[in-house]
Amino acid sequence: MSSFVLYNYFRSSTSFRARVALNIKGIEFDYKAINLLKDEQHSEEYQKLNPMQGIPTLVHDGKVIPDSAAILWYLEDIRPEPPLQPKDAYLKARMRQICEIVNSSMHPYGNLKITKALTKDYGFSEEQKNEWFHRWIGQGLTALEKVLPEIAGTYCVGDQVTMADIFLYPQIITCQRFKVDLTPYPTIMKIFANCDKNPHFKKAHFSRQIDTPEELRAKD
Ligand SMILES: N[C@@H](CCC(=O)N[C@@H](CS)C(=O)NCC(=O)O)C(=O)O
């Protein structure tokens, strides 16, 4: 049994963020699957860990850390090597800008509770829901494609994996799932392809988790 337990779900992009950071830091963890499609995030037991009823939540030696950004910064504090941020203060600020665009201006628009409410409570058709997602995601992608060429190398900030890549990569997987045309975003897609080859990202990928259904499992 590890001293780290991660409550997460194979397909969740925020869970991916925590998994890949744990992998990069070389931390083994116990995987506790929370099935979003069975509403397990709303169970009384899970709400005690995470009152926002979202995943992931990390428990380390009994200490509870909900929210992917809080988890990443916690890991960075307790295990600074290898770093998930650049040393330079300006580049760090730009890295945070990318994380913020993904976290606040993209991720929520495709989140399950929001898309469910759109159809159930606000009468959106599937087509309208799709339009909603493409509209807001498109704004984020367009901004990122302008921001990234100023600071990117192999990855979002130079040639080192940082939190910016950890936020960006799973968001692009979500875009692919929602059939967003990604051809207008060559810088984003170059970084995505580089992350895709990184072994830590591969290990954290939705297709390689213990709760990944057989039909979505990676064949390699
Ligand atoms: N800001 C939170 C968001 C957590 C979140 O909402 N995660 C999604 C999965 S990607 C979730 O649990 N959704 C459950 C729902 O919408 O009911 C974080 O980064 O951890």
Side-chain angles (χ1 to χ4, degrees), residues 9 11-15 17 36 39 41-42 46 50 52-57 66-71 103 107 111-114 116 167:
Y9 180 55
R11 198 169 224 172
S12 136
S13 60
T14 50
S15 299
R17 298 174 191 168
L36 296 185
D39 282 337
Q41 72 277 29
H42 302 309
Y46 186 69
N50 190 329
M52 278 304 288
Q53 304 169 44
I55 49 167
T57 299
D67 209 295
S68 64
I71 293 170
N103 208 30
H107 172 265
N111 204 4
L112 188 64
K113 65 182 172 191
I114 306 293
K116 250 185 178 174
F167 277 70

Side-chain angles (χ1 to χ4, degrees), residues 61-214:
D61 280 336
K63 294 185 290 274
V64 181
I65 305 127
D67 209 295
S68 64
I71 293 170
L72 263 55
W73 285 106
Y74 177 74
L75 295 176
E76 191 67 358
D77 284 339
I78 60 161
R79 196 73 66 93
E81 293 297 328
L84 298 176
Q85 54 180 329
K87 280 199 177 69
D88 179 81
Y90 172 68
L91 289 176
K92 207 183 292 184
R94 301 305 301 272
M95 177 198 82
R96 285 194 167 117
Q97 179 200 10
I98 295 165
C99 296
E100 199 51 35
I101 290 176
V102 175
N103 208 30
S104 312
S105 304
M106 297 175 81
H107 172 265
Y109 294 100
N111 204 4
L112 188 64
K113 65 182 172 191
I114 306 293
T115 53
K116 250 185 178 174
L118 289 177
T119 34
K120 266 181 69 184
D121 304 333
Y122 298 98
F124 274 44
S125 64
E126 279 306 309
E127 200 187 334
Q128 284 172 313
K129 200 170 73 177
N130 213 25
E131 214 178 285
W132 153 278
F133 181 80
H134 280 75
R135 171 176 176 172
W136 299 117
I137 288 294
Q139 191 184 55
L141 289 168
T142 304
L144 286 172
E145 188 60 32
K146 285 187 184 147
V147 166
L148 284 168
E150 296 169 15
I151 49 171
T154 310
Y155 295 109
C156 287
V157 186
D159 295 324
Q160 172 207 338
V161 170
T162 66
M163 293 189 200
D165 305 289
I166 294 176
F167 277 70
L168 178 68
Y169 177 85
Q171 189 62 49
I172 298 305
I173 294 188
T174 305
C175 290
Q176 290 174 330
R177 187 148 63 90
F178 281 84
K179 302 203 178 348
V180 174
D181 175 14
L182 293 163
T183 48
Y185 314 107
T187 317
I188 294 176
M189 293 319 287
K190 182 196 78 178
I191 294 163
F192 178 79
N194 291 334
C195 292
D196 212 37
K197 289 184 224 139
N198 181 303
H200 301 302
F201 282 68
K202 271 188 192 262
K203 191 174 166 199
H205 195 269
F206 78 86
S207 62
R208 293 187 181 86
Q209 305 311 309
I210 55 173
D211 54 340
T212 305
E214 205 42 51

